Amino acid sequence: MSGTVRLYVDHPLGQGQTIPLERPQAHYLFGVMRLEAGAELLLFNGRDGEWRCEVAQAGKRGGLLVCQEQSKPQAAPPDLWLVFAPVKKARTDFIVEKAVEMGVRRLVPVQSDFTNSERIRADKQRAHAIEAAEQCGATFVPEVAEIQKLSRLLDHWPAERHLLFCDEAQAGGSSALAGLLALQEAGRGPWAILIGPEGGFSEAERARLHGFDFTHPVALGPRILRAETAAVAALTLWQAVLGDWQ
Ligand code: SAM
């Protein structure tokens, strides 16, 4: 059903389930996408898989959809967090969008020593995450946590969760193959990827991070990447070795 409209709804989905539409959704489906009664579309809610639905009623201010059959089972991405320092807004939006497409379980914005005072609105980023999930066919929408201090996150770090520390100071210092092998050796399980801000990590942060036994430092090639490039590069590396791209 390529080209079929795919929409996230915050409503239970199941055999014969009816879904009343809010005005904005009705406007999008019937005003923008020009769907009419009898048309088919795909719905998902992040919990019940994806469902093929039919338009039962189409109106300017609302409408009604009915679930026909499940088209995709609920599938969660691997237990991978992307821990990242916000950068300029458009670039942060890009990080969130790519993380959903690449497959993460949770997005964890952090305030590190050199993070600019970039504000991040978790509700806006969640909307970006939903849009990305609608586009890429995901049935799961990662949580976007409220921003927190990196130091505090590390104070309470879950001991069983490995941390792939993308350390720009390692640039060119070790081969990507070494990074791959270290990932393979550490093996599957709960993981996180840490990407710093435009200003990189402070020496104090770097020393602390290298001191943890759950940390796996990695070089992402010999050049210094923008944070959003580094996020995609690290996610690619991790997904290819330990993730659901197998
Ligand atoms: N201001 C820093 C500098 O000049 O060294 C660059 C920071 S970079 C723009 C943002 C983040 O991307 C870094 O903190 C790191 O997490 C990641 N990164 C960029 N290039 C990398 C590389 N070659 N290896 C590992 N991580 C890298």
Side-chain angles (χ1 to χ4, degrees), residues 83 85 87 114 165-172 194-201 206 217-231 234:
V83 182
V87 284
F114 295 157
F165 171 30
C166 298
D167 180 3
E168 68 276 6
Q170 308 257 326
L194 173 60
I195 303 288
E198 281 173 41
F201 290 100
R206 181 166 286 111
V218 69
L220 299 174
R223 289 165 291 279
I224 296 297
L225 310 176
R226 282 191 180 278
E228 63 272 26
T229 314

Side-chain angles (χ1 to χ4, degrees), residues 147-167:
I147 192 162
Q148 58 189 295
K149 283 206 171 301
L150 174 59
S151 53
R152 185 168 158 63
L153 178 70
L154 295 174
D155 290 345
H156 303 281
W157 191 263
E160 77 286 352
R161 188 170 291 275
H162 297 284
L163 175 61
L164 188 66
F165 171 30
C166 298
D167 180 3

Side-chain angles (χ1 to χ4, degrees), residues 57-107:
Q57 289 166 18
K60 279 203 182 343
R61 292 181 185 74
L64 199 67
L65 306 178
V66 183
C67 289
Q68 304 296 331
E69 65 174 344
Q70 193 181 55
S71 43
K72 245 188 217 176
Q74 183 60 29
D79 185 3
L80 173 64
W81 297 353
L82 178 66
V83 182
F84 66 100
V87 284
K88 291 269 176 302
K89 184 187 170 321
R91 295 178 188 279
T92 298
D93 296 353
F94 181 90
I95 290 175
V96 169
E97 182 179 78
K98 297 313 146 198
V100 173
E101 294 172 53
M102 308 283 281
V104 299
R105 187 75 64 85
R106 189 167 182 246
L107 285 151

Side-chain angles (χ1 to χ4, degrees), residues 99-130:
V100 173
E101 294 172 53
M102 308 283 281
V104 299
R105 187 75 64 85
R106 189 167 182 246
L107 285 151
V108 186
V110 288
Q111 191 84 31
S112 66
D113 287 351
F114 295 157
T115 304
N116 301 331
S117 56
E118 301 296 343
R119 282 180 47 72
I120 184 167
R121 292 260 316 260
D123 58 335
K124 295 261 188 217
Q125 292 309 337
R126 176 158 174 78
H128 282 306
I130 287 173

Side-chain angles (χ1 to χ4, degrees), residues 7 9 12 15 17 21 27-28 32 40 51 54 65 69 79 90 93 103 124 194 200 205 212 224:
L7 190 68
V9 289
Q15 195 63 44
Q17 172 77 51
L21 291 175
H27 170 68
Y28 170 67
V32 175
E40 287 195 340
W51 284 77
E54 196 173 295
L65 306 178
E69 65 174 344
D79 185 3
D93 296 353
K124 295 261 188 217
L194 173 60
E205 283 171 336
F212 293 126
I224 296 297

